[in-house]
Amino acid sequence: MKTAIYKNQLIFLDHLQRDEFQKIYLAGKNNEIKCPTCNERMQLFLGIQEQPHFFHVHSPEKKCQEPEHEKTSTPVSVQTIERNGFILPQSRTITVQDNNVQLFSPAKPVRHTVPFIPPNTWDHKVSVPYFQELAEQGVSLDQNQASAVTMTEGSLLVLAGAGSGKTRVLTARTAYMLIEKRIDPRSIMLVTFTSKAAAEMKARLLSYPNVNKQAVHQLVTGTFHSIFYRILMYHDGANWASDKLLKKDWQRDKILKEAGKQLDLSEKEFAYDLALQQIGLWKNTMVMPDQITPSSEWEENTAQLFKLYETFKQREGLFDFDDMLIGCYRLLQTSADLLEFYQERFHYFLIDEFQDINKVQYELIKMLSMKHKNVCAVGDDDQAIYSFRGSDPKFLLDFEQDFPLAEVINLDQNYRSSHEIVTAANQMIAANKVRRIKKMKAQVSNGLLPYLFFPYDEEEEATMIVTDIQQQITDGANPSDFAILYRTNAASRAVFERLAISNLPFKLDLDAEAFYDRYIVRCTLSFLRVSIHEDDTQGISEILPLLFLKQTALKELKALSILQDCSLLEALSYIKTTHSFQEKKLKKVVPLIRSLKALAPVKAIEKIEKDIGFLDFLKKRGNESNQLEKGSDDLKDLKVAAKSFESIDSLLAHAEHMSAMNREMKNLSKHFREAITLSTIHRAKGLEYKTVYLIGAVDGSLPHDYALESSRNGDFAPLEEERRLFYVAMTRAKEQLYISVQENRRGKKSYRSRFLAPLLKANKH
């Protein structure tokens, strides 16, 4: 149905403004929508594949006759008539017509022009008896995979596209070397990027025919850090004992903050968490403190902290994880005998996820393999997405420069995703200019085209996704079939909130910070809390840095509140500082904060942002120097969330409830066997799901603002990495892919992601 009664008014869905849809949806959830004919409870359906419509809650298939009406831009008052003993509404005619109503945009399929050709990839020309045994165990190899397995001598680059079975190739190659070639397992180094991947490879190896446990244990397997730390411990255990390792972020953070005191950097005002990330990036790219040329005041401060941090560690004999690789590199570089020993010890190197390698890791492998040059690097430059950690795809792209006799094998068969998804992903990633040219080919076609859908904003986006998942689960799907992927954790706020009240099981990244616990969001909410409860000690403590006061001022405020017989908030007007202008500002800020409680939440946040000077604080804190997560973006996201609330009290209660839900869901996630996955795209790499929802496919979100800004300044590398991130997200889907293109983002009109242009172009043919 297209009509319903809301607040004793008849509303016509076809002529309802788009920004009203979510409000009407929530009204239906709150039992505020009725059928204009039978007066039963109704709700608004907001999904992906079907057009919006009203349905009867208790009998969804029921279709009542809709009242006649003329086009109108606003709900009309309801008049009633009696018919067969029932009081029924009847709309009065309004002759004014509005042609400016924004219509709902239906979902659009992503069509393709590449026909599906069933593959014939299994009749490879390599005749190896061991492959027959593998096939009997259910491990079949296509022609290119078999070549990658058997080409054991010399350097080899295996371009392993998404879903191409790279783990199968690495494990089958290792088994082949052990069984067929009888290579000493102690001469093989198998490097993975996670301990989990190393354990999985060992477990898979042990399932292969004729592979014995002893040989697997003799292999040198693990992450870069675990392998090279073992070397350090063996040769210089006194200086690299595990009790000297800074294992926790808080340990490093503490050292950095102590160093910051020497530079007079406030713990509340300076972004120490971002500084730690930047120091890690410098170290992984082998840039030391004296080699840094700062491009901003924040970078200059961070470079000085870096120098003080390194000095402190050296003085105390401490080290962090990044030091393990740099330390081993220096050890081998300064000891020719030791380097020769390990060059002779390791004859074969197998490196997984080679596109994610950083400079120090690459230099270590190049140094150790110099004698035998048997390096098998497996990776995909189209999935290089970790530059923020120092990873650089140029080591894969330029592989033949350092290994001039290297062979290159392209694994171009995708065994994960359907032809429809693979073709769309190929079309999208082909726009990158710095890449090895390749096209993946799917094994199956299921006829399910990827879809673009067009929610009004983040709130409606979340509603449409959860509605679609609920429908599919009702039809027999399992919650674990679904993943909702996003660019940054902050983008998950609306979908988390919708799932939290849906009773659907879901899991999220244990390291993800709850939206309402984010520093900037928490501080903003503290202003609102203090406006209502002027003696809220925690709230006052949170806002002190934003008023450019140190935490020591809290003690003075408590004393002043007693002496002046006033609230903690009012005590701000009595506080004495070394600057008269600051005292005047504090006197003005008290009535400003008090006035917030009378405003709607969105208006109150805008007042905090502009009149109280929150944006000035963000710039001074250095938070705006972060490329990915700016504090001002958090404020914009909070304003979007606040639009759903009429009072500050209700927003604060909601924020507290959602933070508690986030903590609870992290605990429950460990016990869910069947759950919807919420994840950043980075965290989802290497995983797969039947159905994937990619949210926020608009410029500024994906690609991220910082990449767009870099491209405007002539640096296109970040933009190409963002396109690779998009590609990774698309290729997580096995059967169905939905891409959300918000019409509005953070309260402003948005523009579809430029990465969608090749997909939309295909639709025109």
Side-chain angles (χ1 to χ4, degrees):
M1 294 182 66
K2 295 290 186 178
T3 53
I5 297 174
Y6 171 57
K7 291 187 175 179
N8 202 34
Q9 291 182 319
L10 194 62
I11 53 176
F12 308 127
L13 197 54
D14 288 344
H15 313 303
L16 196 66
Q17 289 290 355
R18 282 291 286 112
D19 62 354
E20 296 285 304
F21 277 48
Q22 181 66 21
K23 183 178 81 174
I24 298 301
Y25 168 82
L26 293 174
K29 288 284 187 182
N30 293 328
N31 302 329
E32 298 173 23
I33 305 291
K34 304 291 182 184
C35 174
T37 305
C38 69
N39 212 38
E40 285 186 14
R41 182 186 164 197
M42 299 189 85
Q43 284 185 15
L44 175 60
F45 177 89
L46 271 179
I48 294 176
Q49 301 258 22
E50 296 180 46
Q51 289 277 71
H53 60 271
F54 292 108
F55 65 94
H56 295 80
V57 175
H58 299 299
S59 46
E61 303 304 318
K62 183 178 179 180
K63 304 292 181 186
C64 288
Q65 183 177 355
E66 303 200 44
E68 294 182 6
H69 60 275
E70 295 185 20
K71 288 186 178 181
T72 177
S73 64
T74 58
V76 297
S77 300
V78 175
Q79 300 170 345
T80 59
I81 61 171
E82 185 175 341
R83 183 181 298 163
N84 299 327
F86 291 95
I87 302 296
L88 300 177
Q90 184 180 45
S91 63
R92 62 180 174 83
T93 302
I94 291 182
T95 55
V96 178
Q97 183 173 318
D98 188 349
N99 294 320
N100 295 321
V101 174
Q102 184 181 353
L103 299 176
F104 181 90
S105 300
K108 184 183 295 185
V110 177
R111 305 190 185 281
H112 56 84
T113 56
V114 180
F116 175 66
I117 302 172
N120 181 22
T121 60
W122 302 102
D123 51 350
H124 53 74
K125 298 175 183 177
V126 185
S127 178
V128 179
Y130 188 64
F131 287 0
Q132 292 295 327
E133 296 180 60
L134 284 177
E136 289 170 9
Q137 298 285 327
V139 184
S140 298
L141 300 171
D142 65 39
Q143 185 171 336
N144 287 356
Q145 288 175 333
S147 298
V149 167
T150 55
M151 201 176 293
T152 59
E153 304 305 308
S155 298
L156 174 66
L157 176 62
V158 180
L159 296 174
S164 63
K166 68 178 181 62
T167 303
R168 174 173 294 193
V169 166
L170 277 168
T171 50
R173 178 185 172 92
T174 307
Y176 175 79
M177 292 168 74
L178 295 174
I179 305 304
E180 287 287 320
K181 303 287 284 187
R182 299 187 180 280
I183 292 171
D184 183 351
R186 291 168 297 185
S187 70
I188 301 172
M189 182 187 289
L190 173 55
V191 188
T192 63
F193 267 77
T194 65
S195 300
K196 182 181 176 184
E200 287 175 355
M201 285 195 188
K202 277 189 173 183
R204 192 178 293 195
L205 268 171
L206 289 170
S207 70
Y208 285 1
N210 304 324
V211 175
N212 66 66
K213 203 170 185 178
Q214 184 181 358
V216 172
H217 286 314
Q218 287 178 330
L219 292 167
V220 178
T221 63
T223 63
F224 275 100
H225 285 87
S226 67
I227 290 172
F228 290 105
Y229 181 54
R230 273 179 269 168
I231 293 175
L232 276 175
M233 279 290 289
Y234 185 79
H235 295 284
D236 193 11
N239 290 320
W240 296 92
S242 60
D243 61 346
K244 296 179 180 178
L245 171 63
L246 298 168
K247 297 178 183 177
K248 305 292 184 183
D249 283 344
W250 67 262
Q251 294 172 305
R252 301 168 64 218
D253 189 60
K254 184 179 178 182
I255 296 170
L256 216 59
K257 285 177 178 175
E258 284 297 318
K261 289 178 182 177
Q262 299 180 43
L263 304 176
D264 199 26
L265 297 176
S266 166
E267 287 188 22
K268 291 284 187 178
E269 292 175 17
F270 187 79
Y272 281 95
D273 53 341
L274 307 182
L276 275 173
Q277 291 178 26
Q278 182 61 53
I279 289 170
L281 176 62
W282 279 329
K283 292 176 80 168
N284 285 323
T285 50
M286 301 180 77
V287 175
M288 294 299 109
D290 57 347
Q291 299 171 312
I292 297 166
T293 305
S295 59
S296 66
E297 183 184 349
W298 183 83
E299 264 197 15
E300 186 176 348
N301 285 327
T302 303
Q304 290 184 61
L305 284 174
F306 183 14
K307 188 173 185 177
L308 293 170
Y309 174 72
E310 292 299 308
T311 301
F312 177 86
K313 286 195 291 101
Q314 288 169 11
R315 185 173 67 245
E316 299 297 323
L318 302 172
F319 63 96
D320 59 27
F321 284 103
D322 296 326
D323 293 323
M324 292 177 179
L325 300 183
I326 294 172
C328 196
Y329 174 79
R330 288 172 177 164
L331 177 69
L332 295 174
Q333 197 179 41
T334 55
S335 175
D337 291 343
L338 202 58
L339 176 60
E340 187 179 1
F341 171 79
Y342 280 107
Q343 285 176 338
E344 195 54 52
R345 161 77 191 274
F346 295 115
H347 291 214
Y348 299 90
F349 298 86
L350 285 75
I351 324 260
D352 191 16
E353 303 287 10
F354 196 72
Q355 77 281 349
D356 294 331
I357 205 167
N358 63 37
K359 184 172 176 61
V360 64
Q361 292 165 344
Y362 185 71
E363 292 298 332
L364 280 165
I365 292 298
K366 193 169 73 168
M367 188 188 296
L368 290 178
S369 64
M370 199 173 293
K371 185 167 187 178
H372 297 285
K373 298 190 183 300
N374 295 322
V375 176
C376 174
V378 181
D380 180 12
D381 53 304
D382 287 337
Q383 297 185 73
I385 59 173
Y386 292 111
S387 66
F388 65 91
R389 294 195 316 213
S391 301
D392 194 339
K394 80 179 181 65
F395 298 122
L396 184 149
L397 293 167
D398 301 337
F399 188 76
E400 294 94 327
Q401 290 184 15
D402 284 320
F403 302 93
L405 300 178
E407 297 283 343
V408 179
I409 294 176
N410 186 5
L411 305 184
D412 60 358
Q413 300 297 316
N414 184 303
Y415 298 99
R416 175 190 300 145
S417 307
S418 68
H419 172 70
E420 291 74 14
I421 292 169
V422 170
T423 303
N426 283 342
Q427 289 168 189
M428 196 276 304
I429 197 62
N432 266 6
K433 292 182 171 55
V434 183
R435 66 186 288 260
R436 290 181 180 263
I437 304 301
K438 51 192 172 299
K439 279 192 178 180
M440 299 302 294
K441 299 170 189 145
Q443 302 296 299
V444 295
S445 173
N446 61 9
L448 299 174
L449 294 171
Y451 268 86
L452 306 179
F453 65 104
F454 308 92
Y456 179 77
D457 61 8
E458 298 95 325
E459 300 293 334
E460 192 176 278
E461 174 183 66
T463 295
M464 293 172 77
I465 291 171
V466 173
T467 298
D468 194 70
I469 293 175
Q470 285 172 322
Q471 271 190 308
Q472 294 196 53
I473 288 176
T474 300
D475 293 339
N478 294 317
S480 59
D481 293 341
F482 304 97
I484 304 169
L485 306 183
Y486 33 84
R487 177 64 181 84
T488 61
N489 277 309
S492 67
R493 193 261 322 155
V495 77
F496 171 85
E497 293 180 4
R498 207 71 72 249
L499 281 169
I501 60 172
S502 70
N503 294 322
L504 292 173
F506 66 97
K507 59 184 178 181
L508 60 160
D509 178 12
L510 297 179
D511 296 330
E513 187 178 28
F515 175 75
Y516 296 103
D517 291 338
R518 294 172 70 84
Y519 178 71
I520 300 304
V521 175
R522 200 173 69 239
C523 290
T524 309
L525 295 177
S526 290
F527 275 108
L528 300 182
R529 277 204 308 277
V530 170
S531 75
I532 297 172
H533 307 290
E534 295 189 8
D535 284 314
D536 187 321
T537 307
Q538 182 60 36
I540 290 286
S541 175
E542 290 278 11
I543 69 174
L544 287 178
L546 287 86
L547 302 175
F548 300 102
L549 292 171
K550 296 185 182 295
Q551 285 300 313
T552 52
L554 183 59
K555 189 175 180 180
E556 186 179 350
L557 286 174
K558 288 178 179 177
L560 284 169
S561 71
I562 296 170
L563 288 171
Q564 300 294 336
D565 191 22
C566 64
S567 66
L568 285 174
L569 173 61
E570 192 173 349
L572 282 169
S573 60
Y574 295 104
I575 203 164
K576 298 297 181 184
T577 70
T578 54
H579 304 288
S580 58
F581 75 88
Q582 189 178 16
E583 291 176 14
K584 289 178 182 177
K585 191 172 182 179
L586 289 171
K587 283 181 172 63
K588 289 179 181 178
V589 87
V590 172
L592 274 174
I593 294 174
R594 277 183 173 153
S595 69
L596 298 176
K597 61 188 174 189
L599 301 175
V602 173
K603 295 295 182 184
I605 294 167
E606 287 174 351
K607 194 161 190 146
I608 294 166
E609 187 178 26
K610 295 170 186 173
D611 295 350
I612 296 178
F614 208 151
L615 292 180
D616 293 336
F617 165 77
L618 290 176
K619 289 172 185 174
K620 183 173 173 58
R621 181 176 185 262
N623 197 274
E624 295 302 275
S625 67
N626 184 13
Q627 292 182 328
L628 289 180
E629 297 186 351
K630 296 182 182 295
S632 55
D633 289 344
D634 284 346
L635 280 177
K636 293 171 190 172
D637 289 332
L638 182 58
K639 283 190 281 189
V640 173
K643 279 177 20 181
S644 300
F645 300 92
E646 295 181 359
S647 71
I648 287 174
D649 273 329
S650 58
L651 172 61
L652 291 173
H654 173 77
E656 189 175 336
H657 177 59
M658 285 299 114
S659 290
M661 281 292 295
N662 188 280
R663 291 189 292 272
E664 184 180 344
M665 289 310 303
K666 284 181 179 179
N667 290 328
L668 290 174
S669 293
K670 304 169 191 173
H671 309 294
F672 283 148
R673 296 185 67 183
E674 287 285 339
I676 300 159
T677 295
L678 267 66
S679 174
T680 62
I681 302 169
H682 284 96
R683 289 279 186 176
K685 186 172 177 292
L687 304 176
E688 57 185 39
Y689 307 90
K690 282 188 178 179
T691 301
V692 165
Y693 302 87
L694 173 57
I695 68 177
V698 295
D699 277 357
S701 174
L702 192 58
H704 196 280
D705 274 325
Y706 93 90
L708 296 175
E709 182 64 30
S710 295
S711 68
R712 286 190 283 269
N713 294 327
D715 179 9
F716 296 97
L719 194 63
E720 295 224 332
E721 178 161 334
E722 291 288 296
R723 189 178 278 109
R724 295 195 292 267
L725 196 61
F726 204 116
Y727 175 79
V728 166
M730 292 178 75
T731 53
R732 298 312 94 198
K734 296 196 289 185
E735 298 177 5
Q736 185 69 74
L737 172 65
Y738 296 102
I739 301 173
S740 166
V741 186
Q742 304 150 343
E743 295 176 359
N744 295 274
R745 175 175 177 262
R746 290 178 169 156
K748 292 185 178 180
K749 178 176 172 56
S750 55
Y751 298 90
R752 72 182 183 219
S753 171
R754 59 196 63 203
F755 300 156
L756 296 174
L759 309 186
L760 295 168
K761 185 178 179 182
N763 275 9
K764 295 177 182 177
H765 292 293

